[in-house]
Amino acid sequence: MTDTILNATGLGKRFGGFVALANIDLSIDRGERLGLIGPNGSGKSTLVNCLCGTLRNDSGQVEFDGHALNGLKAHQRTRLGMARSFQLPRPFHTLTLAENVLVPIMYVGRAHGVPDPRQRCHELLDMVGLADKSAKRPGDLTQIEMRKLELARAMASEPRLLIADEAMAGLSHQEVDDILALLMRLNEQGITIIMIEHIMRAVLAFSQRLVVLTAGRKIADGDPREVIRQPDVVAAYLGS
Amino acid sequence: MDLSFDLWGNALVSGVLLGGFYAAVTIGVSISFGMLDIVNIAHPAFIILGSYTAYIANSVFGLDPILASVILLPAFYLLGAAIYTIYDVSFERRGDAAIRGLAFFFGILFITEVTLSLTFGVDYRLVEAPYVGPSLHWGVIDLPLRLLVPCLVSLLLVATLQVFMSHTFVGRAIQAVAQDPQALRLMAANPSRIKRVAFGLSIASASIAGAILIIIQPVEPSVGRDYIGRIFAICVMGGLGSFAGTVSAAMALGIVESFTATYYGPSWSPAVAFGFLLLTLAIRPAGLFGRR
Amino acid sequence: MANLRFILILLVVAAAVFGGVFLVDNDYLYFAGYVVLQYVVLATAWNILGGYTGYVNFGTAAFFALGAYSTVALHKALPMPLPLMMLVGGVVSGVIGLGMGYLTLRLRGTFFSIATLAMAVVMQTLITNWNYVGGSRGAYVLRPSASPILGGDYIRYLFLVMLLLSVIAVATARAIQFSQLGYGFATIRDDEGAAEASGVPTLRLKLLATVLSGAFMGMAGAPLPYYVTYLDPASGFSLSYAVNTIAMPLIGGTSTWAGPVIGAVLLGTMQQVATVTISSALSLLIVGLLLVLFVIAAPRGIVGWFRR
């Protein structure tokens, strides 16, 4: 008996005349590891933005953990248990790393039963290997470190669903493995994870199910090894 | 309420003429805010500067104010280019535009107003020209030339700028920058240079707007502040960056203001623009005619 | 340092300031000092919204004058002790801030700023058309002949009241800065979208900042009619309030409670001196020039010179 944590039906979004998302249906089970891939500009980030409330979808419904999300603002969705990292890191520049991570703990995490904010903050920074830089500001970080900060900050709201938007871009082989292991550990703790990535080996190693977006449409949804062999998926990436 | 045609007919006509004039006042900000996303709240100060330069040309040299404003176009253009350069180097490049950019222009607005006060005092100034005074008459409708001429000049100004934007290389480059500065950079064109041209044009338009302002009404340094609300109300209503939208919104505002002044008294005019602005922001921030 | 200890230190400083002025016993010092303290409150109030959250309010004059005019109206209709009038002024301005914020804070910061500028003009129009408070001709307000509590000229009482308001304002600003609320404000300033995604209720916080800021400005304006004894819209809504209120935090430093205080004390004193030596218009010009200069060359303000 499966337990659906996220159910999006008929999701649509346009910018002026440009259709970014067309009639997307997406259903995710609790504890699932979902991979989301597609060429650049296919609408992956738009989908994430619509799910999380950063953008308002023009049509369709989203249900999360029994709650209807339409009309809810981003911060409300975060409080319900959805978190995301941004594809291009968006840290709080004037705050230290520790303060960056503390903010979601203070505003959301505490409500979910975090007993000691500072300790939790240290744990999260340690998890991504930034504990020794906790007093620094984002301006002092490398791009890769900023991505790790994104993940730590997303985790700080104690989410039940985590959307990792290209968290591995630009990382070395070892670093990809580290993040992969981290996401696996989080999943083992019960967190549902959507991984958006271009790094195929990571997606295939991680995903129980693979969804492919092209030009705003879902063209595949199923077992990863079968999906990547589908002709239209191959065509989308390589051109036909 | 007196609904005689005499009264509302004249209110309507005055409103249209006034609206036409408002288009000239706003077109500069349609460029700087609508297309370049630079919140130049100091624009009214440049308009008042234009009024005073026209006034000097008129009172000292006996020149027609509109003619003088055209002669001074290059000077205003260079002023705009200079200010953009400072803005670009100080804020845009550092990616810290918002609060400091606003404060910068606010400072310029203030400095200009105070300097004009210190130089010219706070007495109202006006210009003399053959069309300040007489009116045409069409039945019971009055067409004061001091409103008609500025309206026509204004529409001519907007039309000229529109033609420039659509049919010259530089104009189209400006439109490109407005829509997608990143793409422009990838094509090896320098967005900063093009923005400088655009901003220069924006301030140059203030020269003409100032000249026709002082034809319509007497001017003293603080008059500019009445126009901030109007300018941005029109800009937002008209849809940022659309010239046709600017003219339409300007007309709408002019007409409503004229009716308000006729039936409720002129002291309520500033509130009209603000009402428009709030209404637009609350209901349709993309503007009534906007594409964004 | 805990908030309570900070308040105590502030009170000691305030007592010292008052003691000093009291000993010198020159009425002019009270008058000049009142203006400087008024700017401490205004600059601090502005910074709660502008410095902490990054939303620039150009319409200081509106909130300030509203406080002043609510006093004028109360003075005619229902006279009451000054501190109560200040509370009323604070509430009125706070409510106006809430209303305006509700309409404009859901949009980009630039639209909010433009709306504040236009709103100042509209408020002035409304007051100018309201004959009960004198309209464009202005209103005369009789200053009580003697200070309650202190004795001597009433100006001593006004000075004391403004001094206490400064302490409250600065203490509030500092308390906010180091609290969860202050962090929330900072995230709004740094990246509002990311703040929302991190669970910060941005609209609610912005409204709170606007209400607090507006309320303090209203409280700062409430004693004004007694200070000037004649109030008209042109002077109540003077653009110099807007410029000073923005220049002082930007020059002092917007990231901390100390910046507005430094800016207000320095610029306020400079203007008081300049008013009697050169001219008030020229001193305003200097403020404008300093604002532009600092914004271009020293964005972190004077406070920034002493930090990393």
Side-chain angles (χ1 to χ4, degrees):
Chain A
M1 182 71 198
T2 51
D3 178 16
T4 308
I5 192 173
L6 179 75
N7 193 20
T9 46
L11 220 49
K13 178 71 185 170
R14 28 181 345 135
F15 297 104
F18 174 66
V19 176
L21 291 177
N23 210 9
I24 304 282
D25 294 326
L26 186 64
S27 170
I28 307 177
D29 295 329
R30 199 177 299 273
E32 195 172 5
R33 295 191 304 273
L34 185 82
L36 176 59
I37 62 172
N40 278 327
S42 54
K44 304 190 296 295
S45 280
T46 309
L47 178 59
V48 173
N49 285 334
C50 285
L51 289 175
C52 293
T54 306
L55 283 177
R56 198 186 301 188
N57 48 302
D58 297 328
S59 56
Q61 258 88 17
V62 185
E63 214 185 74
F64 175 74
D65 209 14
H67 303 268
L69 291 188
N70 268 4
L72 289 190
K73 294 193 211 159
H75 79 264
Q76 289 166 307
R77 302 188 194 199
T78 306
R79 287 193 182 189
L80 286 175
M82 276 176 91
R84 50 89 60 92
S85 65
F86 284 94
Q87 181 182 8
L88 287 172
R90 293 171 67 169
F92 303 125
H93 293 281
T94 61
L95 301 182
T96 65
L97 296 207
E99 288 164 346
N100 264 268
V101 173
L102 265 173
V103 166
I105 296 178
M106 287 192 287
Y107 277 92
V108 184
R110 251 206 305 233
H112 290 301
V114 167
D116 185 347
R118 292 210 175 268
Q119 206 223 329
R120 182 72 182 133
C121 170
H122 185 85
E123 270 170 29
L124 288 166
L125 283 174
D126 200 32
M127 182 180 77
V128 295
L130 288 174
D132 53 341
K133 300 201 171 164
S134 63
K136 289 195 180 289
R137 295 214 155 73
D140 300 327
L141 296 182
T142 65
Q143 267 291 315
I144 291 160
E145 286 169 330
M146 281 212 274
R147 283 179 198 285
K148 295 183 181 176
L149 178 64
E150 278 288 310
L151 266 181
R153 199 175 62 177
M155 285 305 303
S157 58
E158 310 297 329
R160 273 165 291 171
L161 169 66
L162 171 68
I163 305 177
D165 196 348
E166 296 196 34
M168 299 175 186
L171 267 59
S172 71
H173 196 95
Q174 181 59 51
E175 284 166 331
V176 168
D177 284 340
D178 290 341
I179 299 291
L180 207 48
L182 168 62
L183 291 174
M184 279 296 206
R185 269 202 315 273
L186 293 174
N187 181 249
E188 276 156 28
Q189 288 166 19
I191 299 173
T192 312
I193 299 186
I194 302 177
M195 175 195 275
I196 303 172
E197 268 310 333
H198 285 298
I199 302 174
M200 273 311 171
R201 74 167 180 94
V203 175
L204 289 174
F206 181 79
S207 315
Q208 292 166 323
R209 185 157 64 103
L210 191 58
V211 167
V212 184
L213 281 188
T214 303
R217 290 182 188 283
K218 189 169 79 166
I219 62 170
D221 182 347
D223 182 276
R225 299 197 191 266
E226 286 169 21
V227 163
I228 58 167
R229 282 202 298 262
Q230 276 177 230
D232 43 0
V233 172
V234 175
Y237 269 99
L238 300 175
S240 39
Chain B
M1 198 183 292
D2 179 355
L3 288 171
S4 67
F5 176 71
D6 189 5
L7 205 57
W8 71 256
N10 276 302
L12 182 62
V13 168
S14 297
V16 169
L17 295 179
L18 196 61
F21 158 65
Y22 283 163
V25 161
T26 310
I27 200 70
V29 176
S30 291
I31 298 176
S32 55
F33 184 43
M35 300 177 84
L36 305 177
D37 213 23
I38 300 173
V39 191
N40 177 12
I41 54 171
H43 195 77
F46 295 114
I47 296 176
I48 301 296
L49 188 63
S51 297
Y52 274 92
T53 51
Y55 164 74
I56 294 175
N58 182 256
S59 59
V60 173
F61 300 106
L63 279 175
D64 174 77
I66 295 177
L67 180 62
S69 72
V70 172
I71 294 174
L72 285 168
L73 281 176
F76 275 77
Y77 175 86
L78 288 173
L79 178 62
I83 291 187
Y84 177 76
T85 309
I86 299 174
Y87 174 85
D88 187 30
V89 167
S90 309
F91 309 115
E92 205 142 271
R93 300 245 180 102
R94 289 198 213 148
D96 197 7
I99 181 178
R100 289 165 51 228
L102 276 172
F104 170 71
F105 282 114
F106 187 64
I108 300 234
L109 172 71
F110 186 72
I111 290 172
T112 311
E113 186 178 314
V114 174
T115 309
L116 285 171
S117 289
L118 288 171
T119 317
F120 293 99
V122 293
D123 296 326
Y124 279 96
R125 309 283 174 175
L126 11 92
V127 288
E128 287 178 10
Y131 39 82
V132 179
S135 293
L136 298 178
H137 298 279
W138 188 44
V140 294
I141 301 292
D142 295 323
L143 284 166
L145 284 179
R146 67 166 235 293
L147 282 182
L148 183 59
V149 171
C151 178
L152 293 173
V153 169
S154 162
L155 294 174
L156 185 60
L157 170 67
V158 175
T160 312
L161 281 171
Q162 178 65 68
V163 165
F164 177 83
M165 288 292 171
S166 322
H167 292 93
T168 66
F169 177 74
V170 181
R172 279 201 281 240
I174 294 175
Q175 288 195 49
V177 155
Q179 285 175 23
D180 195 343
Q182 292 288 57
L184 200 71
R185 204 173 273 123
L186 288 173
M187 295 196 299
N190 184 354
S192 278
R193 266 203 4 218
I194 295 172
K195 286 192 190 180
R196 182 162 41 235
V197 170
F199 199 80
L201 285 175
S202 159
I203 302 300
S205 77
S207 170
I208 298 187
I212 57 182
L213 170 63
I214 197 171
I215 291 171
I216 290 185
Q217 66 163 92
V219 165
E220 57 100 8
S222 72
V223 163
R225 276 184 261 150
D226 295 336
Y227 281 87
I228 297 176
R230 288 176 179 136
I231 290 175
F232 283 95
I234 293 171
C235 237
V236 172
M237 268 203 294
L240 301 172
S242 156
F243 284 11
T246 299
V247 174
S248 316
M251 289 287 179
L253 181 65
I255 292 171
V256 175
E257 256 193 44
S258 182
F259 272 89
T260 311
T262 303
Y263 288 102
Y264 296 103
S267 56
W268 289 102
S269 293
V272 174
F274 185 56
F276 266 56
L277 182 62
L278 275 189
L279 219 62
T280 314
L281 288 179
I283 298 175
R284 200 184 135 81
L288 300 175
F289 309 92
R291 54 177 161 76
R292 271 197 222 171
Chain C
M1 179 196 313
N3 281 325
L4 204 53
R5 220 165 16 140
F6 182 73
I7 294 175
L8 274 140
I9 294 177
L10 270 186
L11 284 171
V12 168
V13 170
V17 167
F18 187 79
V21 176
F22 189 76
L23 285 172
V24 172
D25 201 22
N26 180 343
D27 272 359
Y28 173 72
L29 262 186
Y30 285 109
F31 277 97
Y34 175 91
V35 175
V36 174
L37 289 170
Q38 176 189 275
Y39 275 118
V40 169
V41 178
L42 284 176
T44 302
W46 186 90
N47 204 46
I48 289 175
L49 182 63
Y52 293 176
T53 70
Y55 277 75
V56 177
N57 175 11
F58 288 121
T60 306
F63 296 107
F64 178 76
L66 224 51
Y69 270 99
S70 68
T71 298
V72 172
L74 282 176
H75 182 83
K76 277 180 84 169
L78 184 66
M80 57 178 72
L82 183 57
L84 270 178
M85 288 196 180
M86 287 168 75
L87 267 169
V88 172
V91 167
V92 170
S93 289
V95 167
I96 295 293
L98 183 66
M100 203 199 68
Y102 192 74
L103 289 171
T104 56
L105 282 172
R106 275 179 277 206
L107 307 161
R108 287 165 54 191
T110 42
F111 286 128
F112 171 77
S113 301
I114 295 166
T116 60
L117 200 49
M119 190 196 73
V121 176
V122 167
M123 281 295 158
Q124 188 172 353
T125 308
L126 290 174
I127 298 286
T128 308
N129 285 314
W130 190 21
N131 283 316
Y132 184 68
V133 291
S136 56
R137 290 157 305 137
Y140 286 92
V141 170
L142 280 179
R143 195 188 293 165
S145 50
S147 292
I149 311 170
L150 300 163
D153 196 285
Y154 194 70
I155 187 63
R156 292 188 188 176
Y157 182 64
L158 287 176
F159 181 83
L160 180 66
V161 162
M162 196 51 82
L163 188 60
L164 288 172
L165 183 62
S166 308
V167 168
I168 297 173
V170 174
T172 308
R174 187 184 179 278
I176 291 175
Q177 185 182 339
F178 293 111
S179 71
Q180 176 177 334
L181 187 63
Y183 282 117
F185 284 167
T187 62
I188 293 174
R189 177 189 62 217
D190 287 348
D191 192 325
E192 197 167 330
E196 266 284 317
S198 298
V200 177
T202 56
L203 180 62
R204 203 183 311 161
L205 291 195
K206 287 188 288 186
L207 281 172
L208 184 57
T210 308
V211 169
L212 278 173
S213 181
F216 271 112
M217 289 181 181
M219 285 196 275
L224 186 72
Y226 294 113
Y227 179 80
V228 292
T229 65
Y230 168 71
L231 183 67
D232 71 322
S235 58
F237 286 90
S238 164
L239 196 61
S240 66
Y241 289 117
V243 176
N244 272 316
T245 315
I246 294 177
M248 289 167 181
L250 277 167
I251 290 172
T254 54
S255 56
T256 167
W257 63 268
V261 176
I262 293 173
V265 170
L266 280 178
L267 283 179
T269 318
M270 183 270 283
Q271 279 176 80
Q272 289 297 304
V273 169
T275 304
V276 287
T277 51
I278 15 176
S279 86
S280 59
L282 211 51
S283 76
L284 276 181
L285 183 61
I286 295 175
V287 171
L289 287 168
L290 281 173
L291 170 63
V292 172
L293 196 64
F294 266 79
V295 152
I296 294 177
R300 283 182 302 155
I302 293 177
V303 163
W305 294 345
F306 298 101
R307 286 186 160 187
R308 63 153 214 144

